[in-house]
Amino acid sequence: KMKTGWNLGNMLEATWINYFATTNQRTIDSVKTAGFNTVRLPVAWFYHSNAATYVIDPNWLAHVKETVDYCIKDSMYVIINTHWDNGWLDDHINVQDSASVNARQRAHWTQIANYFKGYNDHLLFASANEPPAKDANQMSILLSYHQTFINAVRAAGGNNSSRTLIIQGPSTDIDLTYSLMNAMPKDKIANRLMVEVHYYTPWQFCLLNSDGTNSWDQMYYYWGKDNHSTTDASRNATWGEESDMDKYLGMMKTKFVDKGIPVIIGEYGAFRKQVIPPSNQALHNASIKSYYRYFVKSAMNKGIITYCWDTGGIINFSTGKTNDSDVLSSIMQGAKDATTTTATTTLKDNALELYPNPFTTTINLKINNPDDIVRITVFDMMGRQVETIVHSEVNSSLALGSSLKPNMYIVQIIGKDWTKSFKIVKKN
């Protein structure tokens, strides 16, 4: 149900309650009209809480609620997180500080969860932002911070008992998350955890805004197979293009999505540069459009939810006016490219084939070795079993989903020593 997402930049990361610099209902209405249906709110809590007691200023909670309510009124999904927030968590992923970090984590999320306990599943909570864990020891400490977050939210009761919660991979880096995040925190309820990573690759194209002194820190102006310059070749991207994008996003699909654990790209973006002749501004602009379109398509085709980073460059926070129609249209075209693709999902290593996906009546499952299958279960997005095929009913060709209503589902296939999950969509 969560499709294409947008970030409200740093508007709630302020050190003061700035009522005049934040968004309004008109802005969120414009975000929805633009085609987004889910919003990520980066929020600071440390600045607005007592240093000794961790008690959050009630005026700040009310201010955050106001923005959440704009989104809820438009039937959007909305994520509240703890952003960088003076680094109280990010800068203290170590043993000596872990007790105090866990104490603040517990206190903050207990208050936040209780304040929002009546909100339904359109509101999600995210434990952190970009926690910079770099090795297995720090990963273990980070998981303890996530566990404290989960425990605090669940203990608050109400709709928090089943609220979807999001935990961040180490540094929200795909490579580190793939290699280090080999366990999930424990939860009292199944299928309510998501994993978050961010994507600004290649950084020379996405983020770098001035040349350094080394060969590897020179800005890229041109990205994508159709956008390379023949006269300004030193500014062509030499890595991080389409094949790398597919590879990195595919790592998250393999690691999490295929196992039934949803993934969000909480931030991504490639920020436009003003290039100087003889560099080609038009080609750079075309590269920006290609980047957004291809990224959204590639991610969504892998079952990954995307949230573009915006600080007002795409949509004006005060007026809701579109400031960059090229980027906005590219995001929406990428989403359209993905959702209009009818794909065959094939798992070659265990000789499974699932098709077509999306489907309208039934989805076909072909199995080379049906004796190796223990059970096949279909879950709805609330985690409820809606269809089950036990071992004795498994054969080489099955048709699933005839009784399902149009929606998104997870097919979980359990073998003798392996488990694979696929996201499927039944259309009207």
Side-chain angles (χ1 to χ4, degrees):
K1 296 179 182 178
M2 296 164 65
K3 305 297 183 183
T4 310
W6 176 84
N7 273 280
L8 185 64
N10 289 313
M11 298 306 290
L12 293 172
E13 247 275 33
T15 59
W16 68 96
I17 302 179
N18 188 344
Y19 294 104
F20 302 102
T22 191
T23 190
N24 51 53
Q25 187 67 60
R26 176 176 55 190
T27 302
I28 299 302
D29 291 348
S30 298
V31 171
K32 183 174 178 67
T33 300
F36 299 103
N37 87 323
T38 177
V39 174
R40 178 174 177 263
L41 302 180
V43 183
W45 305 102
F46 178 88
Y47 292 117
H48 306 288
S49 63
N50 184 283
T53 65
Y54 311 138
V55 173
I56 299 170
D57 181 351
N59 292 321
W60 182 247
L61 279 164
H63 188 47
V64 175
K65 178 183 182 297
E66 183 180 28
T67 308
V68 169
D69 288 345
Y70 296 147
C71 301
I72 297 296
K73 184 178 179 181
D74 280 340
S75 300
M76 301 179 81
Y77 291 86
V78 56
I79 297 170
I80 293 174
N81 81 345
T82 294
H83 215 58
W84 179 74
D85 200 11
N86 203 39
W88 69 265
L89 185 150
D90 286 7
D91 294 346
H92 301 278
I93 305 178
N94 56 62
V95 173
Q96 57 267 35
D97 295 330
S98 60
S100 60
V101 170
N102 274 314
R104 182 177 284 276
Q105 180 85 320
R106 183 180 303 106
H108 280 187
W109 283 108
T110 296
Q111 294 170 78
I112 297 164
N114 275 299
Y115 192 85
F116 289 100
K117 70 193 311 177
Y119 283 67
N120 66 15
D121 63 346
H122 278 71
L123 178 63
L124 300 86
F125 296 152
S127 174
N129 177 43
E130 294 180 343
K134 300 295 185 183
D135 55 36
N137 288 333
Q138 288 189 320
M139 184 71 242
S140 177
I141 296 168
L142 176 58
L143 283 175
S144 79
Y145 297 165
H146 290 329
Q147 189 67 64
T148 296
F149 156 71
I150 293 167
N151 293 347
V153 173
R154 296 293 180 237
N159 288 334
N160 296 308
S161 300
S162 59
R163 191 175 310 286
T164 298
L165 306 179
I166 304 169
I167 63 170
Q168 292 63 45
S171 301
T172 57
D173 176 84
I174 286 179
D175 277 324
L176 286 172
T177 302
Y178 186 83
S179 61
L180 295 178
M181 198 165 176
N182 297 314
M184 296 287 285
K186 294 179 180 179
D187 195 3
K188 293 180 178 180
I189 183 170
N191 303 312
R192 290 295 186 280
L193 297 182
M194 288 181 166
V195 169
E196 178 179 357
V197 290
H198 296 171
Y199 197 93
Y200 295 106
T201 301
W203 69 278
Q204 295 98 326
F205 178 73
C206 296
L207 297 176
L208 192 63
N209 58 14
S210 63
D211 290 332
T213 58
N214 303 292
S215 59
W216 47 265
D217 57 359
Q218 304 297 301
M219 290 182 290
Y220 295 161
Y221 296 160
Y222 315 115
W223 184 96
K225 60 183 178 62
D226 297 324
N227 299 313
H228 283 192
S229 173
T230 57
T231 58
D232 193 24
S234 67
R235 298 298 185 178
N236 291 333
T238 60
W239 73 289
E241 295 188 289
E242 291 95 339
S243 61
D244 281 339
M245 188 177 281
D246 287 334
K247 179 187 76 174
Y248 291 128
L249 294 172
M251 289 164 66
M252 293 296 93
K253 180 179 185 298
T254 301
K255 185 84 173 185
F256 300 108
V257 176
D258 287 349
K259 297 175 182 176
I261 303 169
V263 172
I264 72 166
I265 307 293
E267 297 178 16
Y268 73 93
F271 304 110
R272 194 185 311 278
K273 302 171 176 62
Q274 295 300 314
V275 306
I276 300 172
S279 294
N280 187 327
Q281 184 71 54
L283 190 60
H284 173 65
N285 293 344
S287 299
I288 295 290
K289 292 173 64 176
S290 294
Y291 186 94
Y292 278 92
R293 179 173 178 175
Y294 195 91
F295 178 82
V296 173
K297 174 184 176 181
S298 182
M300 292 185 71
N301 274 340
K302 296 171 181 62
I304 297 172
I305 306 163
T306 61
Y307 292 79
C308 66
W309 182 255
D310 189 9
T311 54
I314 302 173
I315 295 176
N316 184 286
F317 288 167
S318 298
T319 66
K321 177 184 176 182
T322 298
N323 284 338
D324 197 324
S325 57
D326 281 352
V327 166
L328 185 57
S329 63
S330 298
I331 291 170
M332 296 308 158
Q333 185 59 55
K336 183 178 180 181
D337 292 344
T339 56
T340 57
T341 299
T342 300
T344 295
T345 302
T346 303
L347 183 64
K348 294 182 179 180
D349 56 341
N350 288 307
L352 301 174
E353 188 176 3
L354 194 65
Y355 68 94
N357 187 21
F359 67 101
T360 54
T361 305
T362 60
I363 189 166
N364 301 305
L365 176 60
K366 289 188 176 181
I367 307 168
N368 282 1
N369 300 300
D371 288 342
D372 291 341
I373 307 299
V374 176
R375 184 173 67 255
I376 301 168
T377 306
V378 182
F379 298 92
D380 67 14
M381 298 314 289
M382 297 297 290
R384 297 172 295 212
Q385 295 185 23
V386 294
E387 190 169 346
T388 299
I389 299 171
V390 297
H391 175 73
S392 61
E393 298 171 340
V394 175
N395 55 56
S396 60
S397 182
L398 298 169
L400 310 174
S402 62
S403 63
L404 300 180
K405 296 178 181 179
N407 212 325
M408 187 176 293
Y409 299 89
I410 297 291
V411 177
Q412 184 184 71
I413 303 170
I414 300 177
K416 292 180 178 178
D417 57 0
W418 53 268
T419 300
K420 294 291 181 180
S421 297
F422 300 96
K423 186 174 290 185
I424 62 173
V425 177
K426 187 169 186 178
K427 302 189 297 183
N428 290 310

